[in-house]
Amino acid sequence: MERKRLGVLGGMGPKATSVFIDQIIESTVADRDQDHIDMVVLNHASLPDRTHVILENTGELFLREIEKDIRLLEYAEVANIAMPCNTAHYYIQEMQAMTTIPIIDMVEETMREIRDTFGSGGKVGILATNGTLRSGIYSESARRYGMIPHEPVADVQQQVMNIIYRDIKRGITSDPAELEGLIRDMVTKDGCSCVIIACTELSIVKLGDETKKVSIDAMDVLVRRSIELSLPK
């Protein structure tokens, strides 16, 4: 059976990348080292901040650097590429045009899973960076799948950004109760049937079982799809 090597465009941010790798390992059914999937991980932490380049319309700075990483993964002969960063998916079309290696689309994979789990027609909450929200990638995908996107109001969005930039990116442990409270309010007050954890930094926060029932973490979706595409068949 042919093994398929997974390429990982990481470093966006570094902690989120390490969590992604850990989840890949923990989610793979394995009795020995050789049962795990092969990965080539590029932890390119110095890449330009994705939210900044979207808001400042300077995406060429990010794309110029990420193309170098794609070339390295081509040289490593990976079969698929995973990018554990929601915001960077704003540029997935330009990135896919750089290579024939399939880049797993975390946004589309997540929306398909929401449709299959919760059905179409409902309201879907989006918790993400300002850059991801401004890009519209999740809102547009939700509409294509027959769902109504719901973004946080300004003060709630500032709370989300504080969790991401004030806490997690600085290595400070974030209290899960704060994020769980935001998710609960989007369900009970805003009428969302599901809330998307659409930032890999937020994926680091350990949510309780009840909160998980009304949320879908895009990182978890990417982990599962990466394993499916990489295991020998």
Side-chain angles (χ1 to χ4, degrees):
M1 293 183 291
E2 181 185 1
R3 298 186 69 92
K4 295 182 178 181
R5 191 177 299 154
L6 178 70
V8 180
L9 290 171
M12 303 177 277
K15 180 64 174 178
T17 301
S18 72
V19 170
F20 175 72
I21 300 304
D22 285 344
Q23 288 189 12
I24 288 272
I25 294 168
E26 292 168 4
S27 300
T28 302
V29 178
D31 296 319
R32 54 180 186 153
D33 292 347
Q34 291 75 20
D35 293 331
H36 287 277
I37 69 173
D38 293 331
M39 289 182 278
V40 177
V41 182
L42 300 180
N43 197 51
H44 194 167
S46 62
L47 281 165
D49 185 273
R50 282 61 59 195
T51 290
H52 291 168
V53 297
I54 289 174
L55 297 180
E56 297 167 7
N57 198 30
T58 54
E60 70 278 358
L61 301 177
F62 171 75
L63 290 169
R64 185 163 60 239
E65 292 300 312
I66 206 74
E67 184 170 12
K68 299 174 186 176
D69 294 341
I70 289 174
R71 296 290 167 258
L72 287 172
L73 293 178
E74 287 178 332
Y75 183 77
E77 298 182 336
V78 302
N80 295 281
I81 295 174
M83 182 168 56
C85 174
N86 289 273
T87 311
H89 278 69
Y90 178 65
Y91 299 106
I92 194 169
Q93 302 292 342
E94 291 91 335
M95 294 168 60
Q96 189 62 79
M98 297 174 182
T99 182
T100 58
I101 301 171
I103 301 174
I104 304 169
D105 192 328
M106 179 162 53
V107 178
E108 290 295 296
E109 296 287 349
T110 299
M111 281 302 168
R112 272 196 289 270
E113 183 157 326
I114 292 173
R115 180 198 59 193
D116 294 344
T117 303
F118 295 91
S120 298
K123 185 186 290 187
V124 179
I126 306 168
L127 292 180
T129 63
N130 291 346
T132 298
L133 293 183
R134 176 74 66 86
S135 73
I137 53 175
Y138 273 98
S139 292
E140 292 169 8
S141 183
R143 293 188 187 99
R144 285 197 300 273
Y145 282 88
M147 291 172 276
I148 304 166
H150 176 76
E151 298 181 0
V153 296
D155 60 330
V156 174
Q157 180 58 23
Q158 187 56 56
Q159 283 184 265
V160 175
M161 289 295 284
N162 286 344
I163 294 171
I164 296 168
Y165 281 90
R166 180 197 64 200
D167 296 343
I168 298 170
K169 282 187 178 291
R170 295 173 60 197
I172 299 172
T173 301
S174 181
D175 183 358
E178 184 175 7
L179 181 57
E180 289 187 326
L182 298 180
I183 294 171
R184 183 172 58 251
D185 285 349
M186 294 184 91
V187 173
T188 60
K189 296 181 180 180
D190 301 329
C192 294
S193 58
C194 171
V195 177
I196 307 170
I197 308 298
C199 173
T200 49
E201 262 76 32
L202 296 179
S203 301
I204 294 169
V205 181
K206 300 296 184 183
L207 301 177
D209 291 340
E210 290 303 309
T211 304
K212 289 180 180 179
K213 291 178 182 177
V214 292
S215 61
I216 284 191
D217 191 331
M219 171 98 85
D220 292 343
V221 176
L222 182 63
V223 165
R224 288 192 290 272
R225 189 64 178 138
S226 296
I227 294 171
E228 288 171 2
L229 291 171
S230 302
L231 287 174
K233 294 181 180 179

